[in-house]
Amino acid sequence: MKMHKFLQFLNQQLTHWRRQYKTLRRKGKLMRSPKGKTHRRELLRTMLKNVFLFLSKTNEKSERRKQERALRSKAKSVKIKSSIYAVALDWAYKQRYSVILAIAVMSLTGIIGHKLYNQTQIQVGHPAPQTITAPYTASIEDQKKTEAERKAVSKSSLQVLMLDARINETINENLQQLLDDGNEIRAVAGAFPFFDPVVLSISTQRYLRSCSELEWQALLSAVENTKNQQQKGIGQTTASSRPSSIAAPNQKRQPHITSKSDTQNLEKTEPVDFSQNTDFTQAVAELESYRLTTSEKSLSLVIAEISQTRQRYIQATAKLLKLETVSPEAVYEESLLLDLSDVEWEKTQMGIHESIERILTQGIPQGLPKNILQDAVSLQLQTFVPESAETLAKNLLLAVLKPNLQKDEEQTRQNAQKAAAGVSPVMVKVRQGEVIVKKGAQITAWNFEVLEHYRLIRREVKWQELVKLGGVIAIAIGIFVWVERHIDYELRQRDRLLVLLLTLSVPGVIVIGLPYTTWSALGLLLGSFYGPTLGLTVVGLLWPILGISLDMSKAALLAGVGGGILGSYIAQRLRSREELALLGVAIALTQGGIYLLVKILIGQIFGSTWYIVFQEAGLFALSGLGWSIVALGLSPYLEKVFDLVTPIRLAELANPNRPLLKRLATETPGTFQHTLLVATLAEAAAKELGCNVELVRAGTLYHDIGKMHDPLGFIENQMGGPNKHDTEIKDPWKSAEIIKKHVTEGLVMARKHLLPTAIQAFIPEHQGTMLIAYFHHQAQQMAQSDPSLTVDDADFRYDGPIPQSRETGIVMLADSCEAALRSLQASAKSVGEKRSLKDVSSEQALAMLNNILRAKWQDNQLVDSGLKREEMSQIAQIFVDVWQQFHHKRIAYPKLKASSTGRRNVEY
């Protein structure tokens, strides 16, 4: 285009120059002369100048056109983009509910199904799609063989044993019990030796104490015989001089006689000769020798002492037999205990204690053969126990000894891990071009490892599985939506977003790898914010989805779900942070208890790893407490960020020490008293109608905070003083503006102090779009007297909105009725002292309130509140009942007459 215009211009110039040239030549000015040369130069200069001007103009025009086109294009693109953005944002806002549901499905599917993103196409056990060869030579670890060798080394590693102090203590207690039994039996038998061993040897004393009654009687007869023979001058006693009734059985000991029947049986037996019994002969000789060296009286005393010792021995033997019958371990058999002297018994006890201490210190492992333990005991006793007591001591030790070495699971595991870590990996060399797997052949674990090493395994996203998981999650969200629409609480988009974020925290923590997830925090927060129904729904829907989709312990899942259910069910019933903290402790105990119970039911607690189960149960309990603490810490921030009102926050806002309420009580005391009375009426009605009592209480306390902008503009704060509307303003339009301003100023104060939206709603909605009747009437009267004035009802109506909830509707009615009841009370008192409030019947008050409520209903102030027409009369009755409780009848006290002292009459 440019070239065409340039050629056209050049053609015009050439035509012009040709004409000029002909003219000059015709005039003779182009002849060969200096002047002609000058004309030619001037002509060339003019031509070049014109060409340059044309080109410059062309460039300027083209640049300007470029800029204009760029600006138009940019404006057009900006317009298109802004329109696209506007349309997109408008569409997103209109479809925000569907957008949040879509985000919920995608985010939950994305987090829960994270394992489906990077799945392999080639899997172990499946046929190979093609023949695959090694691209280069490499040494690859055979993980299966390496693991097998490490397991073998780990199993063959020595177990670490440790002494069990409790078993040692039990063994020592059992041993001491046996020794105490022995001491008790020996105490019954008496001291041994019971006589001087120089006179009667130990063996003779042992024989005299333990011989049978027959032997003892024969021995006494023999001693008496010897005495008689010596008195007759006969020498030593011979066998023939002994009584013919005594024969000599060839036995060392006879059974002990322990009863009268045994003695009677003994008298019926044939005479026995004991001359062949060396113990018998030695005892007779020693007694005879003692008689010869002392006297007959001394021998009698010795014989009496022997008889007493024999009786004690018989009692001790009986007790020993009884002990052997009761105890399964007969350690004191064969009277070994009573045959030892007191010195030997003391040495035996000391030796037993020293021996068992050494044996227990060395340790007795599980499965030790019995003969090895017996040999070890015998070897120890040879050093510390008298030879005569070795058998008894051995029986005692073998009766109480048992394995006291227990396996140290942790140290054994660490040793096994160290031993396994020391095993070198088994490496297999794969050469270039070597076939890894043939087409159609089943892929083994080794083939998979080789393919993984060469990065020949193709990975893909399991879209089909993700779609299935998304479908399950979509169904769960559909159930949640159905439950949401059937509960009293209406969720906003921010509420749904918060529910989604809290729900995502549970699988999110599991994906990170932490089994102690946020079930307790989820249940506690959802239950506290939105009630038990919604909290239980979320926990109940999330439970099966995680159980199917994620690889996690069923005990851990049940423990977490139990804590979440408990938190969801109880949280909204609590009214203080302290109670929520106690709920966190209850959740912790619930999670730990459920985990332990599941482990008991499946039998894992009865194995050698019982302490690990208790440890895990403790950790689950601590995790429940920890996440509950986190939830308590986040709760105030979440309430502010997501504009939530919980019973606890409402109780905190209703505290009279809050800054706004303190100002309200100080700056507008009349309004504050009015607020308290309205709150009392509204709470009673809300409780009766099943509304949120905490919300009504808190909202009512803040509904008139805007009156602080001009306290004297409202009659309840004038305290009987002049009314500024009558004395200063005298303009109903300005007065109406002041009255209406308490709503807008109240909203400003509420936003400044970050009150929740649910509380802010009470400020404009408690007035709705009602007419400010007093000043409207004044304006109409002024308009009648001054035709130039026009009364517009909009100037005397509040800006609204009308009540949007049952709670704000109740406060609107309570606010109007409180003023009416107060005026009724004032009118009753103004009649005179004789007519008191009791003369105003409840029927009159009820009729007046019904008229007020009917007017509000007919003025369409309650159409969006959710209150029903038939509830109006019920609310009026409640207000009257509460009013009567506040202004109940009092007893008329009599006036006291003046006494004789001259006191005046006093009325109480």
PDB file of all heavy atoms in Angstrom, residues 417-429:
ATOM      1  N   GLN A 417      18.882 -55.734  63.903  1.00  0.00           N
ATOM      2  CA  GLN A 417      18.986 -54.720  62.850  1.00  0.00           C
ATOM      3  C   GLN A 417      20.432 -54.428  62.498  1.00  0.00           C
ATOM      4  O   GLN A 417      20.773 -54.270  61.315  1.00  0.00           O
ATOM      5  CB  GLN A 417      18.290 -53.441  63.311  1.00  0.00           C
ATOM      6  CG  GLN A 417      16.773 -53.542  63.351  1.00  0.00           C
ATOM      7  CD  GLN A 417      16.121 -52.267  63.847  1.00  0.00           C
ATOM      8  OE1 GLN A 417      16.803 -51.359  64.331  1.00  0.00           O
ATOM      9  NE2 GLN A 417      14.801 -52.194  63.738  1.00  0.00           N
ATOM     10  N   LYS A 418      21.300 -54.359  63.511  1.00  0.00           N
ATOM     11  CA  LYS A 418      22.715 -54.126  63.232  1.00  0.00           C
ATOM     12  C   LYS A 418      23.308 -55.284  62.433  1.00  0.00           C
ATOM     13  O   LYS A 418      24.074 -55.076  61.492  1.00  0.00           O
ATOM     14  CB  LYS A 418      23.480 -53.947  64.546  1.00  0.00           C
ATOM     15  CG  LYS A 418      23.189 -52.643  65.248  1.00  0.00           C
ATOM     16  CD  LYS A 418      23.992 -52.529  66.541  1.00  0.00           C
ATOM     17  CE  LYS A 418      23.695 -51.220  67.252  1.00  0.00           C
ATOM     18  NZ  LYS A 418      24.450 -51.116  68.541  1.00  0.00           N
ATOM     19  N   ALA A 419      22.926 -56.509  62.832  1.00  0.00           N
ATOM     20  CA  ALA A 419      23.445 -57.671  62.110  1.00  0.00           C
ATOM     21  C   ALA A 419      22.936 -57.681  60.671  1.00  0.00           C
ATOM     22  O   ALA A 419      23.690 -57.982  59.731  1.00  0.00           O
ATOM     23  CB  ALA A 419      23.042 -58.959  62.826  1.00  0.00           C
ATOM     24  N   ALA A 420      21.635 -57.326  60.498  1.00  0.00           N
ATOM     25  CA  ALA A 420      21.077 -57.307  59.145  1.00  0.00           C
ATOM     26  C   ALA A 420      21.691 -56.188  58.310  1.00  0.00           C
ATOM     27  O   ALA A 420      21.934 -56.359  57.108  1.00  0.00           O
ATOM     28  CB  ALA A 420      19.558 -57.134  59.216  1.00  0.00           C
ATOM     29  N   ALA A 421      21.971 -55.054  58.955  1.00  0.00           N
ATOM     30  CA  ALA A 421      22.566 -53.938  58.222  1.00  0.00           C
ATOM     31  C   ALA A 421      23.982 -54.263  57.754  1.00  0.00           C
ATOM     32  O   ALA A 421      24.473 -53.699  56.781  1.00  0.00           O
ATOM     33  CB  ALA A 421      22.576 -52.684  59.084  1.00  0.00           C
ATOM     34  N   GLY A 422      24.625 -55.176  58.454  1.00  0.00           N
ATOM     35  CA  GLY A 422      25.982 -55.540  58.066  1.00  0.00           C
ATOM     36  C   GLY A 422      26.058 -56.471  56.868  1.00  0.00           C
ATOM     37  O   GLY A 422      27.153 -56.729  56.343  1.00  0.00           O
ATOM     38  N   VAL A 423      24.912 -56.990  56.437  1.00  0.00           N
ATOM     39  CA  VAL A 423      24.902 -57.901  55.277  1.00  0.00           C
ATOM     40  C   VAL A 423      24.978 -57.073  53.995  1.00  0.00           C
ATOM     41  O   VAL A 423      24.188 -56.150  53.787  1.00  0.00           O
ATOM     42  CB  VAL A 423      23.622 -58.765  55.289  1.00  0.00           C
ATOM     43  CG1 VAL A 423      23.557 -59.632  54.046  1.00  0.00           C
ATOM     44  CG2 VAL A 423      23.592 -59.620  56.538  1.00  0.00           C
ATOM     45  N   SER A 424      25.909 -57.381  53.156  1.00  0.00           N
ATOM     46  CA  SER A 424      26.075 -56.653  51.888  1.00  0.00           C
ATOM     47  C   SER A 424      24.953 -57.015  50.918  1.00  0.00           C
ATOM     48  O   SER A 424      24.484 -58.159  50.903  1.00  0.00           O
ATOM     49  CB  SER A 424      27.427 -56.985  51.252  1.00  0.00           C
ATOM     50  OG  SER A 424      28.484 -56.630  52.129  1.00  0.00           O
ATOM     51  N   PRO A 425      24.491 -56.070  50.128  1.00  0.00           N
ATOM     52  CA  PRO A 425      23.436 -56.378  49.152  1.00  0.00           C
ATOM     53  C   PRO A 425      23.903 -57.435  48.141  1.00  0.00           C
ATOM     54  O   PRO A 425      25.065 -57.470  47.750  1.00  0.00           O
ATOM     55  CB  PRO A 425      23.180 -55.028  48.475  1.00  0.00           C
ATOM     56  CG  PRO A 425      23.716 -54.001  49.410  1.00  0.00           C
ATOM     57  CD  PRO A 425      24.863 -54.639  50.109  1.00  0.00           C
ATOM     58  N   VAL A 426      22.967 -58.267  47.739  1.00  0.00           N
ATOM     59  CA  VAL A 426      23.259 -59.291  46.718  1.00  0.00           C
ATOM     60  C   VAL A 426      23.103 -58.630  45.346  1.00  0.00           C
ATOM     61  O   VAL A 426      21.982 -58.269  44.955  1.00  0.00           O
ATOM     62  CB  VAL A 426      22.312 -60.492  46.872  1.00  0.00           C
ATOM     63  CG1 VAL A 426      22.597 -61.524  45.783  1.00  0.00           C
ATOM     64  CG2 VAL A 426      22.455 -61.109  48.262  1.00  0.00           C
ATOM     65  N   MET A 427      24.204 -58.451  44.638  1.00  0.00           N
ATOM     66  CA  MET A 427      24.198 -57.774  43.347  1.00  0.00           C
ATOM     67  C   MET A 427      24.242 -58.793  42.208  1.00  0.00           C
ATOM     68  O   MET A 427      24.979 -59.788  42.277  1.00  0.00           O
ATOM     69  CB  MET A 427      25.382 -56.811  43.235  1.00  0.00           C
ATOM     70  CG  MET A 427      25.508 -55.817  44.382  1.00  0.00           C
ATOM     71  SD  MET A 427      24.075 -54.742  44.569  1.00  0.00           S
ATOM     72  CE  MET A 427      24.195 -53.802  43.048  1.00  0.00           C
ATOM     73  N   VAL A 428      23.431 -58.551  41.190  1.00  0.00           N
ATOM     74  CA  VAL A 428      23.373 -59.416  40.001  1.00  0.00           C
ATOM     75  C   VAL A 428      23.735 -58.566  38.791  1.00  0.00           C
ATOM     76  O   VAL A 428      23.173 -57.479  38.606  1.00  0.00           O
ATOM     77  CB  VAL A 428      21.978 -60.040  39.836  1.00  0.00           C
ATOM     78  CG1 VAL A 428      21.932 -60.889  38.572  1.00  0.00           C
ATOM     79  CG2 VAL A 428      21.621 -60.871  41.057  1.00  0.00           C
ATOM     80  N   LYS A 429      24.668 -59.054  37.969  1.00  0.00           N
ATOM     81  CA  LYS A 429      25.112 -58.307  36.803  1.00  0.00           C
ATOM     82  C   LYS A 429      24.214 -58.638  35.615  1.00  0.00           C
ATOM     83  O   LYS A 429      24.047 -59.798  35.236  1.00  0.00           O
ATOM     84  CB  LYS A 429      26.560 -58.639  36.483  1.00  0.00           C
ATOM     85  CG  LYS A 429      27.175 -57.722  35.431  1.00  0.00           C
ATOM     86  CD  LYS A 429      28.663 -57.973  35.292  1.00  0.00           C
ATOM     87  CE  LYS A 429      29.300 -56.985  34.313  1.00  0.00           C
ATOM     88  NZ  LYS A 429      30.754 -57.204  34.174  1.00  0.00           N
TER      89      LYS A 429
END
